[in-house]
Amino acid sequence: MGKFASYFHKKMKKIITIISLCVVLSACSLFGADKYNLPEKNEEIMELARTSEDTGLLEFLSEHENEGVRASVAKNPETPAKVLVKMLKNDESQIVLNYLAANTKAPAEVLEELAKSENDLIRHAVAKNPATPESVMEIFVTDPSSTVQKMLTENENLTKEVMHKIINESMNETVLLLFNRDDLPNDIVELLKNHSNEEISTKAKNYQVK
C-alpha cells in the first residue's frame, strides 16, 4: 500500500506540474495579447504583423496560431533575424516558409537552409531574393526546376560569376532569359555573341547595354 501511495503521489505531482505550466503559458499568451492590445479579427492582426516595426510584437506574433499572421511576420523586413531563424526551425507551414524565403532581410543561414527545400515555390522565392548569397545562387544554376532557374536570372543582385555559370551550365532557355535584364556586363554580352546556339548569339549581337 505504501508503494502505491508513493507512486500515486509522484504521478499527481507530475500532473499538477503540467497543469501549472499550461496555466502559466496561457497566462503569458493572454498577457501578451493584452500588452499589445491586439485587434480581434485575424485580418487586422495580419496587417499589423505585416507593417509593424515593433520587434517585441513581431516576436510575439511569430508564434500566433493563425498561419496568415505568422506568414505576415515572416515577410516583414523589420522582423529581427533571430525571430526569422526561430521560425525556420519551428514553423512547418509551407506558406510561412515561402514568405520567409522572400524576406529581403532574411539572414544567409535561413536562405541557405530554405534553398534545400523540396518545395519548388520556396526555392523560387530564394532564387529571386536579392539577399541570397552567391554560393546559393550557384546551386540554382542547375536546379531541376526551370522556373527556379528563371527566377535566378531575375535576381537583381545576380553576380557576373553566376552569369558565367548560367551560360556554361544552364539550359539554353535559361541563358536566353538573361537578355530580359538591362544590366548585362559588356564582357558577358561579348561571351554570348560567340555562343554555339544561334538564337543566343543573335540576341547578344542585337543587345544594347543600357
Side-chain angles (χ1 to χ4, degrees):
M1 193 70 179
K3 289 184 178 180
F4 176 77
S6 177
Y7 173 80
F8 181 76
H9 176 72
K10 289 180 180 178
K11 280 291 184 181
M12 288 301 298
K13 188 175 181 181
K14 187 175 182 179
I15 292 172
I16 292 172
T17 300
I18 294 174
I19 293 174
S20 298
L21 180 60
C22 290
V23 170
V24 170
L25 291 175
S26 297
C28 288
S29 179
L30 290 172
F31 172 74
D34 289 341
K35 176 182 177 181
Y36 294 110
N37 193 27
L38 296 180
E40 293 183 4
K41 295 182 178 179
N42 283 331
E43 291 79 5
E44 296 176 351
I45 300 178
M46 287 170 59
E47 178 64 16
L48 189 63
R50 186 181 68 81
T51 60
S52 178
E53 298 180 2
D54 186 330
T55 56
L57 172 61
L58 291 171
E59 182 169 11
F60 175 70
L61 293 178
S62 70
E63 298 180 356
H64 196 277
E65 62 180 10
N66 182 274
E67 182 181 56
V69 172
R70 300 198 310 279
S72 296
V73 173
K75 69 179 179 180
N76 188 328
E78 299 300 326
T79 300
K82 67 174 185 178
V83 176
L84 297 178
V85 171
K86 185 168 67 172
M87 295 183 78
L88 171 66
K89 293 178 179 178
N90 300 331
D91 207 311
E92 298 181 353
S93 165
Q94 296 298 295
I95 294 176
V96 172
L97 295 178
N98 188 48
Y99 279 115
L100 186 57
N103 190 321
T104 56
K105 296 295 181 66
E109 63 182 292
V110 168
L111 296 173
E112 288 168 357
E113 190 61 33
L114 290 173
K116 303 172 187 176
S117 174
E118 295 181 357
N119 185 311
D120 285 0
L121 292 177
I122 290 177
R123 297 201 315 285
H124 294 173
V126 177
K128 193 171 183 178
N129 191 330
T132 296
E134 182 178 86
S135 59
V136 175
M137 290 186 190
E138 291 177 348
I139 295 173
F140 289 138
V141 168
T142 54
D143 192 278
S145 167
S146 59
T147 309
V148 170
Q149 292 188 26
K150 178 180 184 295
M151 293 298 103
L152 178 63
T153 65
E154 296 177 3
N155 191 307
E156 63 183 69
N157 285 335
L158 189 67
T159 64
K160 188 187 295 187
E161 289 71 22
V162 177
M163 290 182 188
H164 272 284
K165 287 185 71 68
I166 290 174
I167 294 170
N168 294 323
E169 301 177 30
S170 293
M171 301 176 293
N172 287 338
E173 291 79 2
T174 302
V175 177
L176 285 167
L177 292 173
L178 288 173
F179 293 111
N180 292 331
R181 303 180 64 92
D182 59 6
D183 61 349
L184 289 180
N186 285 320
D187 55 338
I188 292 293
V189 176
E190 290 302 315
L191 180 63
L192 289 168
K193 286 180 181 179
N194 297 314
H195 199 280
S196 59
N197 180 278
E198 184 177 355
E199 184 179 4
I200 292 174
S201 61
T202 300
K203 277 186 172 292
K205 291 170 184 175
N206 293 326
Y207 181 84
Q208 293 186 350
V209 179
K210 299 177 182 178

mmCIF file of all heavy atoms in Angstrom, residues 28 48-49 86-87 95 113 136 146 150 161-162 187 206 210:
data_model
loop_
_atom_site.group_PDB
_atom_site.id
_atom_site.type_symbol
_atom_site.label_atom_id
_atom_site.label_comp_id
_atom_site.label_asym_id
_atom_site.label_seq_id
_atom_site.Cartn_x
_atom_site.Cartn_y
_atom_site.Cartn_z
ATOM 1 N N CYS A 28 0.679 33.805 -20.051
ATOM 2 C CA CYS A 28 1.652 34.590 -20.816
ATOM 3 C C CYS A 28 1.058 35.022 -22.146
ATOM 4 O O CYS A 28 1.258 36.145 -22.596
ATOM 5 C CB CYS A 28 2.915 33.765 -21.068
ATOM 6 S SG CYS A 28 3.917 33.521 -19.592
ATOM 7 N N LEU A 48 -1.252 44.182 -39.040
ATOM 8 C CA LEU A 48 -0.341 44.667 -38.006
ATOM 9 C C LEU A 48 1.003 43.951 -38.112
ATOM 10 O O LEU A 48 2.062 44.573 -38.038
ATOM 11 C CB LEU A 48 -0.968 44.430 -36.631
ATOM 12 C CG LEU A 48 -0.268 45.052 -35.413
ATOM 13 C CD1 LEU A 48 -0.257 46.567 -35.522
ATOM 14 C CD2 LEU A 48 -0.999 44.627 -34.137
ATOM 15 N N ALA A 49 0.952 42.637 -38.307
ATOM 16 C CA ALA A 49 2.181 41.837 -38.417
ATOM 17 C C ALA A 49 2.970 42.201 -39.667
ATOM 18 O O ALA A 49 4.203 42.117 -39.687
ATOM 19 C CB ALA A 49 1.838 40.348 -38.433
ATOM 20 N N LYS A 86 14.286 31.424 -35.743
ATOM 21 C CA LYS A 86 13.433 30.595 -34.898
ATOM 22 C C LYS A 86 12.228 30.069 -35.689
ATOM 23 O O LYS A 86 11.821 28.920 -35.526
ATOM 24 C CB LYS A 86 12.960 31.392 -33.679
ATOM 25 C CG LYS A 86 12.158 30.568 -32.683
ATOM 26 C CD LYS A 86 11.950 31.310 -31.369
ATOM 27 C CE LYS A 86 11.055 32.509 -31.546
ATOM 28 N NZ LYS A 86 10.696 33.136 -30.243
ATOM 29 N N MET A 87 11.678 30.915 -36.555
ATOM 30 C CA MET A 87 10.539 30.493 -37.368
ATOM 31 C C MET A 87 10.959 29.387 -38.330
ATOM 32 O O MET A 87 10.203 28.449 -38.586
ATOM 33 C CB MET A 87 9.962 31.688 -38.136
ATOM 34 C CG MET A 87 9.355 32.757 -37.243
ATOM 35 S SD MET A 87 8.603 34.132 -38.161
ATOM 36 C CE MET A 87 7.044 33.382 -38.666
ATOM 37 N N ILE A 95 3.528 27.868 -46.379
ATOM 38 C CA ILE A 95 3.205 29.262 -46.707
ATOM 39 C C ILE A 95 4.111 30.208 -45.926
ATOM 40 O O ILE A 95 4.678 31.166 -46.477
ATOM 41 C CB ILE A 95 1.723 29.560 -46.396
ATOM 42 C CG1 ILE A 95 0.816 28.752 -47.324
ATOM 43 C CG2 ILE A 95 1.427 31.054 -46.546
ATOM 44 C CD1 ILE A 95 -0.663 28.896 -47.041
ATOM 45 N N GLU A 113 19.374 27.313 -45.877
ATOM 46 C CA GLU A 113 18.587 26.148 -45.484
ATOM 47 C C GLU A 113 17.354 26.000 -46.366
ATOM 48 O O GLU A 113 17.014 24.893 -46.805
ATOM 49 C CB GLU A 113 18.182 26.273 -44.017
ATOM 50 C CG GLU A 113 17.566 25.022 -43.423
ATOM 51 C CD GLU A 113 18.499 23.823 -43.435
ATOM 52 O OE1 GLU A 113 19.726 24.018 -43.295
ATOM 53 O OE2 GLU A 113 17.999 22.690 -43.605
ATOM 54 N N VAL A 136 24.676 30.253 -52.859
ATOM 55 C CA VAL A 136 23.363 29.624 -53.031
ATOM 56 C C VAL A 136 22.880 29.824 -54.462
ATOM 57 O O VAL A 136 22.306 28.921 -55.078
ATOM 58 C CB VAL A 136 22.340 30.192 -52.029
ATOM 59 C CG1 VAL A 136 20.950 29.622 -52.296
ATOM 60 C CG2 VAL A 136 22.770 29.889 -50.603
ATOM 61 N N SER A 146 12.853 24.538 -64.015
ATOM 62 C CA SER A 146 13.166 25.619 -64.961
ATOM 63 C C SER A 146 12.693 26.966 -64.418
ATOM 64 O O SER A 146 13.276 28.011 -64.728
ATOM 65 C CB SER A 146 12.507 25.333 -66.316
ATOM 66 O OG SER A 146 11.097 25.221 -66.181
ATOM 67 N N LYS A 150 14.664 30.434 -63.904
ATOM 68 C CA LYS A 150 14.121 31.707 -64.411
ATOM 69 C C LYS A 150 14.169 32.775 -63.337
ATOM 70 O O LYS A 150 14.579 33.920 -63.576
ATOM 71 C CB LYS A 150 12.679 31.505 -64.883
ATOM 72 C CG LYS A 150 12.004 32.773 -65.389
ATOM 73 C CD LYS A 150 10.574 32.482 -65.827
ATOM 74 C CE LYS A 150 9.920 33.714 -66.434
ATOM 75 N NZ LYS A 150 9.749 34.811 -65.446
ATOM 76 N N GLU A 161 29.839 36.308 -61.892
ATOM 77 C CA GLU A 161 30.305 34.928 -61.761
ATOM 78 C C GLU A 161 29.168 33.933 -61.961
ATOM 79 O O GLU A 161 29.341 32.889 -62.619
ATOM 80 C CB GLU A 161 30.953 34.730 -60.389
ATOM 81 C CG GLU A 161 32.295 35.403 -60.201
ATOM 82 C CD GLU A 161 32.198 36.927 -60.106
ATOM 83 O OE1 GLU A 161 31.104 37.434 -59.767
ATOM 84 O OE2 GLU A 161 33.213 37.609 -60.370
ATOM 85 N N VAL A 162 28.003 34.251 -61.420
ATOM 86 C CA VAL A 162 26.852 33.366 -61.575
ATOM 87 C C VAL A 162 26.349 33.406 -63.016
ATOM 88 O O VAL A 162 25.918 32.386 -63.563
ATOM 89 C CB VAL A 162 25.722 33.743 -60.591
ATOM 90 C CG1 VAL A 162 24.496 32.860 -60.808
ATOM 91 C CG2 VAL A 162 26.198 33.592 -59.147
ATOM 92 N N ASP A 187 31.404 42.262 -71.031
ATOM 93 C CA ASP A 187 32.142 41.028 -71.289
ATOM 94 C C ASP A 187 31.215 39.815 -71.351
ATOM 95 O O ASP A 187 31.496 38.840 -72.058
ATOM 96 C CB ASP A 187 33.251 40.818 -70.257
ATOM 97 C CG ASP A 187 32.739 40.846 -68.830
ATOM 98 O OD1 ASP A 187 31.667 41.413 -68.594
ATOM 99 O OD2 ASP A 187 33.423 40.298 -67.946
ATOM 100 N N ASN A 206 22.474 41.833 -80.935
ATOM 101 C CA ASN A 206 21.487 42.912 -81.017
ATOM 102 C C ASN A 206 21.230 43.573 -79.648
ATOM 103 O O ASN A 206 20.449 44.530 -79.555
ATOM 104 C CB ASN A 206 20.156 42.362 -81.550
ATOM 105 C CG ASN A 206 20.267 41.904 -82.990
ATOM 106 O OD1 ASN A 206 21.009 42.490 -83.778
ATOM 107 N ND2 ASN A 206 19.543 40.848 -83.330
ATOM 108 N N LYS A 210 22.224 49.166 -71.396
ATOM 109 C CA LYS A 210 21.531 50.425 -71.023
ATOM 110 C C LYS A 210 22.239 51.099 -69.858
ATOM 111 O O LYS A 210 22.889 50.463 -69.058
ATOM 112 C CB LYS A 210 20.077 50.107 -70.664
ATOM 113 C CG LYS A 210 19.310 49.486 -71.835
ATOM 114 C CD LYS A 210 17.909 49.132 -71.432
ATOM 115 C CE LYS A 210 17.169 48.458 -72.591
ATOM 116 N NZ LYS A 210 15.796 48.040 -72.234
#
